[in-house]
Amino acid sequence: PYFYNNMKYIAIITLLIYYFSPANCQSRNCTPDEIKIHQAIQTFMHCLVEKDSNLFFSLFHQEPVVWVGVFKERAQQKRLQQDSTKLNYFTSTYKKFYRTISNEGTIEEKFNNIKINTDGSIAAVTFDYSFWEKGQKINYGKESWGMVNLNEQWKITSVLFSMDFTADNSLPKKKK
């Protein structure tokens, strides 16, 4: 486990260095705000793997932070087969989310096709996500974050996401 954890840490750092290197960002014309938002996204993913609650909680604006998940039609139909009264959505908080996943084994969330729309004060961030537990993809969908820039720190104010379940362990395809 010690070797595996250190190798994961080295891999994450290497990816972060590459992703945020000046040459890579210049080719994408990243603004300083976009770089900070990408760093917040990477930190979010890192906190789930490393189970760092303090750092995870620091990514969010003071409560209330909107947290709403909506089941995709196919997933909802399966849920209704078991219980016809189930709603197609649920609400939560980032703290409840973190507490739930921190009790699980190895948890990881992967993001692809990240798009950032910002004016430097607020940002809308959208991406495809897949949620993994012990190396198996358990759900996936689209996710959207609302963010605000407070004293040069980007904070998440809302998390909205769709959810489907799958036995398919492939990652979402990157859009060109």
Side-chain angles (χ1 to χ4, degrees), residues 15-28:
L15 286 172
L16 288 173
I17 290 170
Y18 170 74
Y19 190 79
F20 295 112
S21 70
N24 191 24
C25 214
Q26 286 173 354
S27 68
R28 293 191 340 259

PDB file of all heavy atoms in Angstrom, residues 15-28:
ATOM      1  N   LEU A  15       1.036  14.787 -13.559  1.00  0.00           N
ATOM      2  CA  LEU A  15      -0.056  15.264 -14.420  1.00  0.00           C
ATOM      3  C   LEU A  15      -0.363  16.732 -14.169  1.00  0.00           C
ATOM      4  O   LEU A  15      -0.609  17.487 -15.107  1.00  0.00           O
ATOM      5  CB  LEU A  15      -1.309  14.420 -14.202  1.00  0.00           C
ATOM      6  CG  LEU A  15      -1.268  13.018 -14.796  1.00  0.00           C
ATOM      7  CD1 LEU A  15      -2.481  12.210 -14.335  1.00  0.00           C
ATOM      8  CD2 LEU A  15      -1.187  13.059 -16.297  1.00  0.00           C
ATOM      9  N   LEU A  16      -0.367  17.134 -12.915  1.00  0.00           N
ATOM     10  CA  LEU A  16      -0.639  18.537 -12.595  1.00  0.00           C
ATOM     11  C   LEU A  16       0.430  19.453 -13.185  1.00  0.00           C
ATOM     12  O   LEU A  16       0.121  20.508 -13.732  1.00  0.00           O
ATOM     13  CB  LEU A  16      -0.732  18.741 -11.080  1.00  0.00           C
ATOM     14  CG  LEU A  16      -1.970  18.179 -10.401  1.00  0.00           C
ATOM     15  CD1 LEU A  16      -1.856  18.303  -8.884  1.00  0.00           C
ATOM     16  CD2 LEU A  16      -3.216  18.875 -10.895  1.00  0.00           C
ATOM     17  N   ILE A  17       1.687  19.053 -13.043  1.00  0.00           N
ATOM     18  CA  ILE A  17       2.785  19.871 -13.586  1.00  0.00           C
ATOM     19  C   ILE A  17       2.628  20.004 -15.098  1.00  0.00           C
ATOM     20  O   ILE A  17       2.731  21.101 -15.649  1.00  0.00           O
ATOM     21  CB  ILE A  17       4.154  19.266 -13.225  1.00  0.00           C
ATOM     22  CG1 ILE A  17       4.399  19.439 -11.725  1.00  0.00           C
ATOM     23  CG2 ILE A  17       5.275  19.903 -14.047  1.00  0.00           C
ATOM     24  CD1 ILE A  17       5.598  18.674 -11.203  1.00  0.00           C
ATOM     25  N   TYR A  18       2.348  18.891 -15.787  1.00  0.00           N
ATOM     26  CA  TYR A  18       2.171  18.957 -17.227  1.00  0.00           C
ATOM     27  C   TYR A  18       0.970  19.809 -17.589  1.00  0.00           C
ATOM     28  O   TYR A  18       1.025  20.683 -18.445  1.00  0.00           O
ATOM     29  CB  TYR A  18       1.996  17.563 -17.830  1.00  0.00           C
ATOM     30  CG  TYR A  18       1.580  17.624 -19.276  1.00  0.00           C
ATOM     31  CD1 TYR A  18       2.487  17.974 -20.269  1.00  0.00           C
ATOM     32  CD2 TYR A  18       0.261  17.388 -19.647  1.00  0.00           C
ATOM     33  CE1 TYR A  18       2.094  18.063 -21.587  1.00  0.00           C
ATOM     34  CE2 TYR A  18      -0.136  17.475 -20.959  1.00  0.00           C
ATOM     35  CZ  TYR A  18       0.784  17.806 -21.930  1.00  0.00           C
ATOM     36  OH  TYR A  18       0.392  17.913 -23.234  1.00  0.00           O
ATOM     37  N   TYR A  19      -0.154  19.532 -16.914  1.00  0.00           N
ATOM     38  CA  TYR A  19      -1.396  20.207 -17.270  1.00  0.00           C
ATOM     39  C   TYR A  19      -1.306  21.716 -17.087  1.00  0.00           C
ATOM     40  O   TYR A  19      -1.826  22.476 -17.876  1.00  0.00           O
ATOM     41  CB  TYR A  19      -2.557  19.640 -16.434  1.00  0.00           C
ATOM     42  CG  TYR A  19      -3.895  20.111 -16.925  1.00  0.00           C
ATOM     43  CD1 TYR A  19      -4.470  19.519 -18.036  1.00  0.00           C
ATOM     44  CD2 TYR A  19      -4.561  21.148 -16.299  1.00  0.00           C
ATOM     45  CE1 TYR A  19      -5.697  19.945 -18.512  1.00  0.00           C
ATOM     46  CE2 TYR A  19      -5.787  21.578 -16.773  1.00  0.00           C
ATOM     47  CZ  TYR A  19      -6.345  20.976 -17.881  1.00  0.00           C
ATOM     48  OH  TYR A  19      -7.550  21.399 -18.349  1.00  0.00           O
ATOM     49  N   PHE A  20      -0.629  22.149 -16.025  1.00  0.00           N
ATOM     50  CA  PHE A  20      -0.566  23.570 -15.728  1.00  0.00           C
ATOM     51  C   PHE A  20       0.742  24.216 -16.147  1.00  0.00           C
ATOM     52  O   PHE A  20       1.014  25.348 -15.777  1.00  0.00           O
ATOM     53  CB  PHE A  20      -0.823  23.805 -14.236  1.00  0.00           C
ATOM     54  CG  PHE A  20      -2.211  23.422 -13.835  1.00  0.00           C
ATOM     55  CD1 PHE A  20      -2.429  22.351 -13.004  1.00  0.00           C
ATOM     56  CD2 PHE A  20      -3.303  24.111 -14.323  1.00  0.00           C
ATOM     57  CE1 PHE A  20      -3.715  21.983 -12.653  1.00  0.00           C
ATOM     58  CE2 PHE A  20      -4.594  23.758 -13.980  1.00  0.00           C
ATOM     59  CZ  PHE A  20      -4.795  22.694 -13.151  1.00  0.00           C
ATOM     60  N   SER A  21       1.536  23.500 -16.920  1.00  0.00           N
ATOM     61  CA  SER A  21       2.787  24.084 -17.377  1.00  0.00           C
ATOM     62  C   SER A  21       2.488  25.251 -18.315  1.00  0.00           C
ATOM     63  O   SER A  21       1.506  25.248 -19.044  1.00  0.00           O
ATOM     64  CB  SER A  21       3.643  23.033 -18.089  1.00  0.00           C
ATOM     65  OG  SER A  21       3.064  22.695 -19.325  1.00  0.00           O
ATOM     66  N   PRO A  22       3.358  26.262 -18.308  1.00  0.00           N
ATOM     67  CA  PRO A  22       3.120  27.429 -19.167  1.00  0.00           C
ATOM     68  C   PRO A  22       2.977  27.065 -20.646  1.00  0.00           C
ATOM     69  O   PRO A  22       2.122  27.597 -21.333  1.00  0.00           O
ATOM     70  CB  PRO A  22       4.349  28.306 -18.925  1.00  0.00           C
ATOM     71  CG  PRO A  22       4.838  27.910 -17.579  1.00  0.00           C
ATOM     72  CD  PRO A  22       4.502  26.442 -17.445  1.00  0.00           C
ATOM     73  N   ALA A  23       3.767  26.119 -21.130  1.00  0.00           N
ATOM     74  CA  ALA A  23       3.687  25.758 -22.554  1.00  0.00           C
ATOM     75  C   ALA A  23       2.328  25.160 -22.880  1.00  0.00           C
ATOM     76  O   ALA A  23       1.727  25.482 -23.901  1.00  0.00           O
ATOM     77  CB  ALA A  23       4.800  24.766 -22.895  1.00  0.00           C
ATOM     78  N   ASN A  24       1.823  24.270 -22.035  1.00  0.00           N
ATOM     79  CA  ASN A  24       0.523  23.645 -22.279  1.00  0.00           C
ATOM     80  C   ASN A  24      -0.590  24.683 -22.205  1.00  0.00           C
ATOM     81  O   ASN A  24      -1.505  24.675 -23.009  1.00  0.00           O
ATOM     82  CB  ASN A  24       0.293  22.515 -21.275  1.00  0.00           C
ATOM     83  CG  ASN A  24      -0.911  21.674 -21.647  1.00  0.00           C
ATOM     84  OD1 ASN A  24      -1.301  21.613 -22.800  1.00  0.00           O
ATOM     85  ND2 ASN A  24      -1.494  21.020 -20.673  1.00  0.00           N
ATOM     86  N   CYS A  25      -0.521  25.588 -21.265  1.00  0.00           N
ATOM     87  CA  CYS A  25      -1.573  26.586 -21.114  1.00  0.00           C
ATOM     88  C   CYS A  25      -1.519  27.622 -22.240  1.00  0.00           C
ATOM     89  O   CYS A  25      -2.549  28.088 -22.689  1.00  0.00           O
ATOM     90  CB  CYS A  25      -1.460  27.277 -19.758  1.00  0.00           C
ATOM     91  SG  CYS A  25      -3.067  27.701 -19.092  1.00  0.00           S
ATOM     92  N   GLN A  26      -0.339  27.951 -22.700  1.00  0.00           N
ATOM     93  CA  GLN A  26      -0.244  28.909 -23.797  1.00  0.00           C
ATOM     94  C   GLN A  26      -0.898  28.348 -25.052  1.00  0.00           C
ATOM     95  O   GLN A  26      -1.546  29.073 -25.794  1.00  0.00           O
ATOM     96  CB  GLN A  26       1.220  29.256 -24.080  1.00  0.00           C
ATOM     97  CG  GLN A  26       1.807  30.169 -23.025  1.00  0.00           C
ATOM     98  CD  GLN A  26       3.299  30.374 -23.230  1.00  0.00           C
ATOM     99  OE1 GLN A  26       3.921  29.756 -24.080  1.00  0.00           O
ATOM    100  NE2 GLN A  26       3.870  31.252 -22.421  1.00  0.00           N
ATOM    101  N   SER A  27      -0.770  27.047 -25.261  1.00  0.00           N
ATOM    102  CA  SER A  27      -1.380  26.452 -26.450  1.00  0.00           C
ATOM    103  C   SER A  27      -2.901  26.486 -26.356  1.00  0.00           C
ATOM    104  O   SER A  27      -3.589  26.437 -27.366  1.00  0.00           O
ATOM    105  CB  SER A  27      -0.884  25.017 -26.657  1.00  0.00           C
ATOM    106  OG  SER A  27      -1.382  24.185 -25.623  1.00  0.00           O
ATOM    107  N   ARG A  28      -3.437  26.564 -25.136  1.00  0.00           N
ATOM    108  CA  ARG A  28      -4.885  26.641 -24.950  1.00  0.00           C
ATOM    109  C   ARG A  28      -5.324  28.062 -24.630  1.00  0.00           C
ATOM    110  O   ARG A  28      -6.502  28.301 -24.401  1.00  0.00           O
ATOM    111  CB  ARG A  28      -5.321  25.707 -23.819  1.00  0.00           C
ATOM    112  CG  ARG A  28      -5.149  24.251 -24.138  1.00  0.00           C
ATOM    113  CD  ARG A  28      -5.816  23.330 -23.119  1.00  0.00           C
ATOM    114  NE  ARG A  28      -6.081  23.917 -21.843  1.00  0.00           N
ATOM    115  CZ  ARG A  28      -5.339  23.738 -20.741  1.00  0.00           C
ATOM    116  NH1 ARG A  28      -4.278  22.971 -20.786  1.00  0.00           N
ATOM    117  NH2 ARG A  28      -5.655  24.308 -19.598  1.00  0.00           N
TER     118      ARG A  28
END
